[in-house]
Amino acid sequence: MPSNFHELIKFQQLPTLILGGGFTGLFTALHLSHQHYQVPTILIDRGSRFIFKPLLYEFLTGEMNTRYICPRYDNLLHKSGIEFIQDTID
């Protein structure tokens, strides 16, 4: 570790990482945005879409459209200030 590492990060704001875009992760990201949280926030999920599992039956029976059951994270987080990255964490 460089000797000035701690001094470098002292002046930079490290982002808040939210790992997983399920109900808790997505709610947390949106809540931080609505509270005008000043730290950069990144939501990371392996999929590109939030899956609203309680309504999967309605989707499978044709009663509801895909956009209501499986909206894209990009659409859900639009203008929220939250960055979305589709990836996995090891």
Side-chain angles (χ1 to χ4, degrees):
M1 179 177 346
S3 61
N4 63 349
F5 176 75
H6 294 291
E7 297 218 8
L8 285 173
I9 64 170
K10 187 187 325 182
F11 298 107
Q12 295 179 350
Q13 251 183 343
L14 297 175
T16 298
L17 299 178
I18 300 172
L19 308 178
F23 278 105
T24 303
L26 182 61
F27 175 81
T28 300
L30 292 172
H31 178 74
L32 290 174
S33 173
H34 290 224
Q35 296 296 314
H36 305 291
Y37 186 63
Q38 296 300 310
V39 178
T41 305
I42 301 170
L43 174 64
I44 302 173
D45 194 84
R46 73 179 89 159
S48 63
R49 296 176 177 270
F50 172 75
I51 300 174
F52 191 68
K53 293 177 183 172
L55 293 177
L56 278 180
Y57 175 80
E58 285 80 357
F59 170 69
L60 293 172
T61 58
E63 295 176 38
M64 293 196 96
N65 189 306
T66 306
R67 67 182 172 155
Y68 299 114
I69 308 300
C70 305
R72 296 183 55 81
Y73 285 109
D74 294 342
N75 294 339
L76 291 170
L77 298 172
H78 182 69
K79 294 186 178 182
S80 69
I82 306 296
E83 181 180 350
F84 172 69
I85 297 175
Q86 184 179 351
D87 205 346
T88 58
I89 306 298
D90 293 324

